[in-house]
Amino acid sequence: MISTAEASRAIANSMPAFDSGTVALEDATGRILRQIVTAERDQPPFDRVTMDGIAIRFDSFAAGQREFLIQGTQHAGDPVQSLDEDRHCIEIMTGGVLPRGTDCVIPVERISVADGVANLEEGYVPKQHQFIHPQGSDHALGHEVLNPGTRISPMDIAVIASCGLDRVEVNRQPAIRVISTGNELVPPGEPIESHQIRLSNGPALVAMLSQQGFVDTAHEHLIDEPKLLQVRLASLLQECDVLILSGGVSMGKADFVPQVLTELGVKVVFHKISQRPGKPMWFGIGPNNQAVFALPGNPVSTLVCCRQYVLPALLMASGGDKLLPETARLSEDVKFNADLTCFLPVRVSSEYDGIVSATPVPTNTSGDFASLTGTDGYVELAREQSEFSAGSVVPLHRWSNP
Ligand code: AMP
Ligand code: MG
């Protein structure tokens, strides 16, 4: 049985890369950037005024002048004006170009205007170059403002727009098909008998995927019938880049998934990881390079395996940068005796000293997914150790930050 680290490595080494395509800017949030974005112009593109007020020549103030004849008004978006005479000023609005011949902006709060003349407030002493955001001081034309691998945030959208791009190259959406297997499962909205179980993994997996920007997903439920599984999975393999199954990978008499996948030409990369929950996980690569993740059906196992293995693999294949690993400090002692890596669900809080603290939220069994509501993720407790004292620093995996 391979370790958790070996499983991650094996997936990373066998995942095919997804290609890229362009999307409109309004569809780009959350996608992985696949191009360099370079500055269209200097930023700011001109000496930009940062206050409503008047622009003057500072030397005139230094020479004792306190009253300035208003020569004209220049709004943001107006072509640049020039000072005709040193003793003049130009009314100027925030976001406008600094008028030629001026080098100081006096805020409107510091002047009074009468008969077309601006008078400085008694005793007010401006500084040369004040309230001017100099051309190119943020960055120069051609500067690489964003690099491939960035998950595009709303702030990045502002930067991309400022570079004049209305389309941007991002990861192509992989076609992902999600299958819940199990005779006992009944989807929400349908009548249910006392011996049956609500199908919850499929909707949760689709939700986890969509939270990470993977929206070309479709879910369906299949019963544990090898022939039917074979026919349907064969057809789904034709239409997808990624197949995610839940259930049917353990040692039960109705666990047909590994066998059926193998018969369909999906080459097993590994089966079983030394971890709890999620030990029976299976991973393989299909005949057309499809990534096939077969997750154990227990709901906690399904969610942990999706967060731990599926999402990082999809983001990597999409060209995404690897995020820095996070750690947290255990808030209480934990014992875990099995010779397995333990993924323990936690609630996270930030302590007064800025340290992230993780409070274990034990699940009854790996079927107790109701306890997961309100958790922020899980900590990883090393297989080699069985006792972890309060204060131990351990790897933290947040649900939302794969
Ligand atoms: P399996 O891995 O198929 O043996 O399933 C393990 C346990 O998880 C069984 O109790 C199943 O009823 C439950 N289970 C499997 N799939 C789902 C699902 N989609 N939603 C909720 N529970 C499930
Ligand atoms: Mg099952």
Side-chain angles (χ1 to χ4, degrees), residues 37-350:
V37 176
T38 52
E40 182 188 32
R41 305 189 292 166
D42 289 348
Q43 180 62 20
F46 44 78
D47 289 338
R48 191 180 70 95
V49 169
T50 66
M51 282 281 182
D52 297 326
I54 56 169
I56 63 164
R57 188 178 159 81
F58 182 79
D59 283 351
S60 301
F61 171 84
Q65 194 186 326
R66 297 295 180 264
E67 294 181 1
F68 296 83
L69 181 71
I70 300 174
Q71 173 193 312
T73 302
Q74 191 190 303
H75 291 275
D78 285 352
V80 64
Q81 297 180 14
S82 300
L83 212 57
D84 294 337
E85 293 187 33
D86 289 357
R87 61 192 176 81
H88 288 181
C89 70
I90 292 175
E91 273 188 320
I92 184 75
M93 307 305 146
T94 303
V97 186
L98 184 73
R100 285 197 196 100
T102 71
D103 57 1
C104 177
V105 172
I106 314 283
V108 68
E109 295 82 356
R110 301 295 196 172
I111 59 171
S112 54
V113 177
D115 301 328
V117 173
N119 289 279
L120 292 206
E121 181 187 292
E122 182 76 33
Y124 177 64
V125 181
K127 291 197 183 77
Q128 195 176 16
H129 308 302
Q130 71 178 18
F131 303 121
I132 299 163
H133 185 185
Q135 175 172 351
S137 61
D138 295 355
H139 53 245
L141 178 157
H143 176 71
E144 295 181 4
V145 283
L146 290 174
N147 283 299
T150 303
R151 182 96 72 97
I152 299 173
S153 70
M155 289 64 79
D156 298 331
I157 294 286
V159 169
I160 296 167
S162 79
C163 292
L165 302 179
D166 63 347
R167 296 188 71 79
V168 70
E169 190 174 347
V170 298
N171 65 304
R172 185 177 61 76
Q173 284 283 356
I176 306 176
R177 300 295 170 257
V178 179
I179 312 297
S180 297
T181 67
N183 295 349
E184 73 280 27
L185 304 176
V186 178
E190 289 182 18
I192 193 161
E193 306 277 348
S194 58
H195 54 274
Q196 297 178 314
I197 298 244
R198 274 293 176 209
L199 186 161
S200 58
N201 289 348
L205 288 169
V206 169
M208 267 196 167
L209 294 166
S210 93
Q211 193 178 37
Q212 297 305 324
F214 297 106
V215 293
D216 182 357
T217 55
H219 167 255
E220 69 185 69
H221 171 212
L222 297 178
I223 57 166
D224 299 310
E225 211 285 283
K227 198 74 221 136
L228 184 140
L229 280 171
Q230 190 167 45
V231 170
R232 191 60 197 134
L233 294 185
S235 155
L236 286 169
L237 278 170
Q238 293 301 316
E239 64 180 64
C240 74
D241 303 299
V242 179
L243 194 59
I244 306 173
L245 296 109
S246 102
V249 288
S250 306
M251 304 305 285
K253 284 198 157 174
D255 292 337
F256 302 120
V257 167
Q259 174 206 325
V260 169
L261 288 171
T262 306
E263 284 164 11
L264 290 173
V266 182
K267 292 227 154 48
V268 60
V269 175
F270 62 76
H271 188 189
K272 295 193 178 139
I273 311 172
S274 59
Q275 64 178 45
R276 185 182 293 160
K279 186 166 100 177
M281 179 175 162
W282 190 100
F283 173 71
I285 296 292
N288 299 325
N289 254 344
Q290 308 94 324
V292 181
F293 299 88
L295 314 181
N298 260 312
V300 179
S301 310
T302 306
L303 294 174
V304 165
C305 287
C306 180
R307 160 62 186 82
Q308 185 67 18
Y309 300 109
V310 181
L311 298 179
L314 297 183
L315 291 167
M316 186 206 75
S318 302
D321 290 336
K322 228 176 146 33
L323 299 182
L324 288 178
E326 285 187 272
T327 54
R329 197 159 65 181
L330 283 177
S331 70
E332 54 192 63
D333 294 346
V334 177
K335 270 197 188 135
F336 182 76
N337 286 326
D339 182 23
L340 300 168
T341 298
C342 170
F343 292 123
L344 179 66
V346 293
R347 232 175 244 136
V348 160
S349 58
S350 193

Side-chain angles (χ1 to χ4, degrees), residues 338-397:
D339 182 23
L340 300 168
T341 298
C342 170
F343 292 123
L344 179 66
V346 293
R347 232 175 244 136
V348 160
S349 58
S350 193
E351 288 182 4
Y352 63 93
D353 53 4
I355 288 191
V356 173
S357 166
T359 302
V361 178
T363 50
N364 227 342
T365 64
S366 47
D368 172 20
F369 56 105
S371 305
L372 294 184
T373 298
T375 59
D376 298 291
Y378 49 89
V379 290
E380 180 176 341
L381 304 180
R383 172 184 174 182
E384 296 73 24
Q385 212 175 316
S386 56
E387 293 191 14
F388 300 83
S389 51
S392 307
V393 174
V394 291
L396 167 70
H397 307 285

